[in-house]
Amino acid sequence: MTFLRGPGRHAFDRSDAQYAESVGLRVAGAVDLARLLAPGPRTGQEPYASHEPYGE
């Protein structure tokens, strides 16, 4: 993730960095949860959350 500032904005301060870190943690958690709940890749590989063959 990249957080950008326009030329008219002040430099990042500590509260901006803390907010960006919290957003990053929420995004990472959402990605991890989505991978756990996904039925598996469509390439014929094993599902993410199970070692059982896909579809069983």
Side-chain angles (χ1 to χ4, degrees), residues 2-50:
T2 302
F3 294 89
L4 302 174
R5 286 283 184 168
R9 300 286 308 266
H10 60 84
F12 283 108
D13 58 19
R14 182 68 185 148
S15 65
D16 294 325
Q18 288 172 329
Y19 175 73
E21 185 175 303
S22 72
V23 170
L25 289 172
R26 285 180 282 185
V27 169
V31 169
D32 287 345
L33 182 59
R35 290 194 66 192
L36 285 173
L37 298 176
R42 300 197 195 299
T43 61
Q45 297 174 357
E46 292 182 356
Y48 292 120
S50 172

